[in-house]
Amino acid sequence: MVTAHGACFVYKHAAIVGKLGDNGAALRRALRDDADLHALLALPSATVTVLAHTRWASVGRISEANAHPVDSHTDGAVDAGPFSIAVLNGDIDNYGALSKQIAYEPDERGITTDAKVIPVLLSQRLAEGAGAGSALCACLADFAGSMAIAAQAETSDEVLLAVKGSGQSVYVGLGFGGFVVASEVYGLVATTSRYLRVDGAAWPEASRQGTVLALARRGSGTLAAIRRWDGDGVPRPVEPSEVRTAEVTTRDLALDSAVHYLHKEVHEAPSSFRKTLRGRVRQHAAGPAVSLPPSSLPPEVRERISSGQIRQIVVVGQGTAAVAAQGVAQFVRTAVGDRLTLTAMPASEFSASCLYPDMTDVCVVAISQSGTTTDTNRSVDLARDRGAAILSIVNRRDSDLTTKSHGVLYTSDGRDVEMSVASTKAFYAQVAAGCLLGIELGRELNVLTPEREASLIEGLQRIPGQLLALQSSEQLIAKIATEVAARYPYWAVVGSGPNRVAAAEIRIKLSELCYKTISTDAVEDKKHIDLSAEALVLVCAAGAPPGQVSDLIKEVEILAAHGNTPIVLCDEGTEQTWPTDLAVGLPLGHPEMMWIVATAAGHLFAYHAARRIDAVADPLRVALSRLETAVDNGLELSAALPREVLVPVIDVLEEADRGHLSGVLTSETALGLARLVLQPARPGLGPEAFSAPAAQPVDLARAVLAHAIDDLGRSIDTVKHQAKTVTVGTSRDDADVYDNDVVAAMQDAGVDLHRLTLPVLRVVRAQARVISSVTGVTYYRVDRAGDGTEDAATIRVLRKTGSAAGLASRADHGSPLMGSKRRVAELRTARLLRGRSDGRVVLVVPEQDCGRLSHLCVVHVELHERCEPHDLVAAMDSVGDRMAEIIAAVTETVPSFEPAQLREFPAEDVLLAPVELLAERLAAAAR
């Protein structure tokens, strides 16, 4: 495309069938062979900007036309403004409405993707006279959804970037030769390690989500060449402190001979485990001994443990790290005996149910690969605030978790990067670090003998070799996985003793990689639960005590006899003793640690099972590719499907007919595929014979094939619904609802805090911010009438404290529930009130037992003379719409009202004075 100011070369390649790198190779060939491009680049005045993007269309058909970038040109119409191009990550949810707005009618053989509206709208905004940055800000405001955009117009030498919504970000690399922009930091490190991260959240005080950047060619690669605006179009200059340094390198990104990062990382597990042990084991005359530095086990924490001040250790994590926590707790328990109580649980469970005011007797061991897991870090914050000692096992140096911890045990070398979403090698390293901690504590508490310590250390030191030796069994594991993965709809993983941890972790990997909901149970318990499921059952039996093996064999016999298919992970040399042909012998090591090797075998099984399931979709990918090629070559949408499209579909249906796909092919997908095959062959079985809406044959085939590929595809290195990047985890915003003087005073008066509901506690917390002191408490019991309602309820004083002790009450000997207390009882929420006769300010708090009002607590308080506006607004909003009433009343006489004005008035008046009187005073002050 020749433009008014130069030329735009566009290279695209779309291949549904192929392997990683095929598209890039095709594009490189096109660039290499384009003589016109090389001729222009040879001109002395030539400058170039590159927009490159890998995009699997989520809107529109998968075709070369829909590959990015897309431009502003529309067939049959005069272009409204400067020629523009754009690429998109994410989705523009309202693209249909925007297409009508710009009068763009997609051509089925041309561009039908939602990204097309970006350059067209950008061009229109530029034609209206807006600057480049302002134009994209206006476009971003029109777009609904979550997206990251890169664009350029012929009238500007700037590359424009825009990000909006959750789950989207771009990384701007600051290189010596210019800017490099990527959707992940991994895309930058081959050029530069310095970058600026841009996400799509709303800026403080901005009314719209999003950020827009303009990267200038002049000064490229420097902060001075970056202009930035928020979603409202307000400039937001970039500060030097925002520049970060990447922790990954090109070495981490190299796949070497592996097809997937996960496979590569499983094979790197021996090295990660060995690096975690390195430098932490010393050789002494009595044998090897663990020696953790003060940075890992600080002297003060060591002293608190050895002296008995710390009596329990809680090991926490989330996901795979939570399972590693189970393994660590199990090992530490054997090392310290009964000197410490060991508990393992997800960090979110710990912060929800296991916190108490004084936790100085607790040491929390937090496990996290990244050190940024929100659930784990929030739990650590809450426990540390209550006096707990914090030790962390983490991979990333200088991560958030390390700054919250008293001591840190780094896994591997403190920067062992995992590219795959599903974590593998980090799990083994976390367990290794936790085992070292357990051995150190066992010696510190004089529980471990030198012989026992040496045995455990030698067992740990053998594991890297075992993991390496396991790779020789991978071919067998892959063969079994390929044979069974697609056949069974129901899967389970079972283990006993330490192998319960292996089963839990294997279950996670099978679920992540194969998109299966999988149960996990004790081996001996399986027959009591779902024996009739006729499931694929992975049995973790490696390292089982000799006295248990015969019983485990019987359990496997029972599973097989009832139609289940057991796969056994057992000790090497015992394969023939198990009643199944699907047994994998694992390299021998310390019996207490064989579960670690079993986990590694399970990871390999999960990987090859996912590959087998994904391979089921390969013929359908071929069919879709052939269909799109036929459309590009002129196939009409109403035409019958070509034979070359149908043959791969028939191959899949025949495999399903043989029972090979019972575990992965849903009835919906199978019927859809059958519909494609039957339509041309049986006139009576057209679209009207099935529940799906009628459609043109080509449209129907495209939809059915795309759905089937999505249903069967297993990406392995990523996850279909990747919560790790689109959610932030628990924040425990309500963890502090008990942490105020009002609650403390109520507790001293005898209030049962467990009978205060969360809404009531939130009101109390909000009111506590405007209260300067609690002077006393009157605690009442509520006695109900026979029908259980408040209509004839009575109250009686149980206890008085502080200033309330000398106050007479009509309820000292019982009285009807009436007045403001009755209103609180009806609303079931706390209220700040001022006595009509005595002018005392009180907070009345209801207490409930099993949903029925049981007590009332009247807290006598004094308010701050003046309060910050946000505290006043929070107090009012917690109990009703008083703030809204104040604004409405004030703006009856003045144009506007800012809550900041509340700072100038007594807090008691703001919160309790009649709204009309307060509004008159606020309006007078605003004039």
Side-chain angles (χ1 to χ4, degrees):
M1 170 72 72
V2 177
T3 71
H5 300 275
C8 178
F9 289 80
V10 177
Y11 305 90
K12 297 185 178 184
H13 187 70
I16 299 171
V17 180
K19 62 181 184 298
L20 186 67
D22 285 354
N23 286 343
L27 292 174
R28 282 193 293 272
R29 285 194 300 271
L31 289 165
R32 181 194 62 204
D33 298 339
D34 192 331
D36 292 336
L37 173 66
H38 290 282
L40 284 181
L41 290 177
L43 296 175
S45 60
T47 58
V48 64
T49 301
V50 178
L51 281 183
H53 187 38
T54 300
R55 171 70 168 171
W56 185 274
S58 56
V59 175
R61 69 189 185 98
I62 301 165
S63 65
E64 189 169 286
N66 275 337
H68 296 195
V70 291
D71 62 37
S72 58
H73 179 69
T74 53
D75 292 334
V78 178
D79 292 343
F83 180 78
S84 304
I85 60 174
V87 301
L88 169 70
N89 252 0
D91 297 295
I92 298 177
D93 296 338
N94 60 337
Y95 79 97
L98 292 174
S99 295
K100 294 179 181 178
Q101 176 184 318
I102 62 179
Y104 174 67
E105 291 292 337
D107 175 8
E108 184 59 32
R109 291 190 180 84
I111 299 173
T112 57
T113 178
D114 54 345
K116 181 67 176 180
V117 300
I118 301 170
V120 176
L121 273 174
L122 177 62
S123 181
Q124 291 181 1
R125 296 285 190 272
L126 291 169
E128 294 166 0
S134 299
L136 191 54
C137 282
C139 292
L140 196 65
D142 289 338
F143 299 152
S146 177
M147 68 207 70
I149 296 167
Q152 189 177 22
E154 64 173 320
T155 54
S156 172
D157 69 346
E158 295 176 311
V159 172
L160 303 175
L161 305 175
V163 189
K164 181 178 183 178
S166 63
Q168 293 291 343
S169 59
V170 294
Y171 296 78
V172 180
L174 309 175
F176 293 111
F179 294 114
V180 182
V181 181
S183 57
E184 294 284 353
V185 71
Y186 316 131
L188 309 175
V189 294
T191 304
T192 179
S193 61
R194 299 175 64 247
Y195 67 90
L196 172 72
R197 184 179 184 275
V198 186
D199 63 35
W203 286 77
E205 302 175 2
S207 62
R208 297 187 181 97
Q209 285 186 320
T211 299
V212 171
L213 285 82
L215 312 180
R217 186 190 308 280
R218 186 171 301 170
S220 183
T222 66
L223 292 183
I226 301 177
R227 295 189 294 154
R228 182 172 64 181
W229 301 265
D230 64 21
D232 292 336
V234 177
R236 298 280 185 169
V238 180
E239 300 296 333
S241 59
E242 298 180 62
V243 176
R244 305 181 188 181
T245 301
E247 296 181 1
V248 296
T249 68
T250 52
R251 180 190 67 193
D252 302 312
L253 307 182
L255 269 171
D256 299 327
S257 60
V259 178
H260 297 97
Y261 283 110
L262 184 133
H263 192 224
K264 174 194 174 191
E265 288 156 10
V266 171
H267 281 252
E268 291 172 342
S271 175
S272 294
F273 202 99
R274 189 178 294 110
K275 289 177 182 177
T276 305
L277 301 181
R278 187 172 58 197
R280 291 165 171 163
V281 177
R282 298 284 186 266
Q283 193 67 36
H284 300 286
V290 172
S291 178
L292 296 181
S295 60
S296 297
L297 186 58
E300 57 272 21
V301 177
R302 188 187 293 267
E303 170 60 26
R304 288 171 62 184
I305 292 173
S306 61
S307 66
Q309 181 183 356
I310 289 177
R311 297 191 298 273
Q312 57 177 315
I313 293 180
V314 182
V315 194
V316 300
Q318 290 294 142
T320 288
V323 179
Q326 295 177 29
V328 169
Q330 175 180 265
F331 185 91
V332 176
R333 190 178 295 114
T334 65
V336 302
D338 60 1
R339 294 291 302 277
L340 292 169
T341 300
L342 267 295
T343 308
M345 67 182 71
S348 53
E349 292 293 299
F350 175 62
S351 62
S353 306
C354 300
L355 300 176
Y356 47 91
D358 182 3
M359 300 187 69
T360 53
D361 64 340
V362 175
C363 175
V364 175
V365 178
I367 301 179
S368 172
Q369 194 273 345
S370 65
T372 59
T373 307
T374 303
D375 310 80
T376 302
N377 290 1
R378 183 58 176 147
S379 297
V380 164
D381 286 337
L382 296 171
R384 180 166 179 156
D385 289 345
R386 289 160 172 77
I390 309 295
L391 303 179
S392 61
I393 296 174
V394 64
N395 179 56
R396 285 178 51 194
R397 296 185 183 276
D398 302 321
S399 59
D400 294 345
L401 181 56
T402 65
T403 65
K404 303 171 185 291
S405 305
H406 298 105
V408 181
L409 287 84
Y410 289 104
T411 58
S412 190
D413 52 8
R415 59 155 318 280
D416 203 4
V417 176
E418 282 186 317
M419 297 295 296
S420 175
V421 170
S423 177
T424 51
K425 64 179 179 178
F427 173 84
Y428 313 118
Q430 289 162 356
V431 171
C435 290
L436 292 173
L437 176 63
I439 294 171
E440 180 91 344
L441 294 179
R443 188 180 67 250
E444 186 71 33
L445 295 170
N446 295 316
V447 174
L448 285 183
T449 64
E451 293 77 16
R452 172 70 169 156
E453 180 176 3
S455 173
L456 293 176
I457 292 173
E458 289 168 4
L460 288 174
Q461 291 174 328
R462 290 188 63 179
I463 287 176
Q466 292 174 265
L467 296 176
L468 195 61
L470 176 66
Q471 295 172 13
S472 64
S473 299
E474 183 171 358
Q475 186 174 356
L476 172 60
I477 294 172
K479 178 178 179 294
I480 294 173
T482 301
E483 180 181 336
V484 302
R487 289 176 175 266
Y488 297 90
Y490 307 115
W491 294 9
V493 192
V494 296
S496 294
N499 275 308
R500 291 295 302 274
V501 181
E505 169 54 16
I506 295 169
R507 191 267 299 185
I508 289 179
K509 288 301 158 290
L510 287 170
S511 297
E512 284 185 306
L513 300 181
C514 300
Y515 306 165
K516 289 275 189 179
T517 297
I518 298 166
S519 65
T520 177
D521 302 291
V523 178
E524 295 90 341
D525 211 24
K526 190 66 177 172
K527 61 179 177 290
H528 299 296
I529 300 174
D530 53 358
L531 192 62
S532 299
E534 298 184 353
L536 176 67
V537 184
L538 193 62
V539 180
C540 301
Q548 188 188 26
V549 171
S550 60
D551 290 322
L552 295 180
I553 290 173
K554 291 177 184 177
E555 297 296 329
V556 173
E557 288 175 339
I558 293 171
L559 288 171
H562 289 81
N564 298 273
T565 299
I567 301 170
V568 179
L569 303 177
C570 58
D571 291 342
E572 195 172 49
T574 68
E575 296 92 331
Q576 300 304 315
T577 65
W578 296 91
T580 176
D581 294 332
L582 306 179
V584 180
L586 307 183
L588 297 177
H590 196 294
E592 296 176 51
M593 302 174 199
M594 283 297 294
W595 67 270
I596 300 173
V597 185
T599 303
H603 285 170
L604 287 171
F605 178 84
Y607 169 70
H608 289 287
R611 291 198 66 179
R612 162 57 180 147
I613 295 170
D614 184 71
V616 175
D618 284 346
L620 304 180
R621 295 184 178 109
V622 171
L624 183 56
S625 178
R626 291 175 178 175
L627 177 66
E628 298 299 355
T629 300
V631 171
D632 290 339
N633 291 334
L635 179 70
E636 296 295 333
L637 300 183
S638 59
L641 299 180
R643 174 178 171 77
E644 62 266 22
V645 173
L646 294 175
V647 168
V649 177
I650 294 171
D651 290 342
V652 171
L653 291 173
E654 288 180 345
E655 191 174 7
D657 185 53
R658 291 192 292 269
H660 295 172
L661 307 181
S662 301
V664 295
L665 196 64
T666 65
S667 57
E668 177 189 7
T669 300
L671 283 172
L673 295 173
R675 182 182 185 184
L676 300 185
V677 174
L678 293 173
Q679 270 195 91
R682 298 277 299 279
L685 288 175
E688 69 281 355
F690 292 83
S691 60
Q696 298 276 27
V698 170
D699 285 337
L700 175 67
R702 182 180 292 135
V704 168
L705 290 171
H707 172 79
I709 292 168
D710 182 66
D711 198 31
L712 294 166
R714 302 295 186 267
S715 55
I716 297 178
D717 280 334
T718 59
V719 176
K720 183 185 291 187
H721 301 294
Q722 198 170 137
K724 295 179 182 180
T725 61
V726 300
T727 62
V728 296
T730 56
S731 60
R732 297 291 180 248
D733 291 336
D734 293 316
D736 62 345
V737 290
Y738 296 107
D739 302 338
N740 58 73
D741 292 341
V742 177
V743 171
M746 290 193 296
Q747 189 173 26
D748 290 343
V751 172
D752 184 346
L753 300 186
H754 291 96
R755 292 205 287 249
L756 300 179
T757 64
L758 179 58
V760 166
L761 286 166
R762 285 174 172 170
V763 174
V764 172
R765 177 179 60 187
Q767 302 298 329
R769 294 170 184 159
V770 299
I771 293 171
S772 63
S773 64
V774 176
T775 62
V777 175
T778 305
Y779 189 38
Y780 300 88
R781 184 183 72 235
V782 178
D783 296 315
R784 294 171 170 274
D787 59 3
T789 67
E790 282 93 18
D791 292 342
T794 60
I795 57 174
R796 180 181 296 271
V797 174
L798 294 180
R799 192 172 298 105
K800 299 178 183 179
T801 67
S803 62
L807 299 177
S809 169
R810 63 173 179 264
D812 282 338
H813 304 289
S815 69
L817 176 63
M818 61 178 61
S820 58
K821 296 183 185 67
R822 181 183 181 86
R823 184 59 178 156
V824 168
E826 292 170 346
L827 296 174
R828 303 295 175 88
T829 189
R831 296 193 70 182
L832 190 70
L833 304 167
R834 181 163 55 192
R836 180 171 299 178
S837 59
D838 57 17
R840 291 189 179 90
V841 178
V842 297
L843 181 65
V844 184
V845 181
E847 185 180 330
Q848 299 181 57
D849 186 8
C850 299
R852 300 179 62 180
L853 186 69
S854 60
H855 298 79
L856 286 173
C857 188
V858 176
V859 186
H860 298 257
V861 301
E862 292 182 356
L863 304 180
H864 292 292
E865 178 61 24
R866 298 283 195 276
C867 290
E868 289 298 316
H870 60 82
D871 287 335
L872 293 167
V873 171
M876 289 185 282
D877 287 348
S878 70
V879 291
D881 57 358
R882 179 178 173 87
M883 187 68 232
E885 292 177 1
I886 292 173
I887 293 173
V890 173
T891 53
E892 285 287 335
T893 56
V894 297
S896 62
F897 170 73
E898 292 295 331
Q901 295 175 237
L902 298 175
R903 183 185 289 110
E904 308 304 323
F905 290 81
E908 185 172 333
D909 291 348
V910 173
L911 297 170
L912 297 170
V915 170
E916 294 78 6
L917 297 178
L918 178 62
E920 290 178 4
R921 296 173 61 191
L922 290 167
R927 291 190 184 101

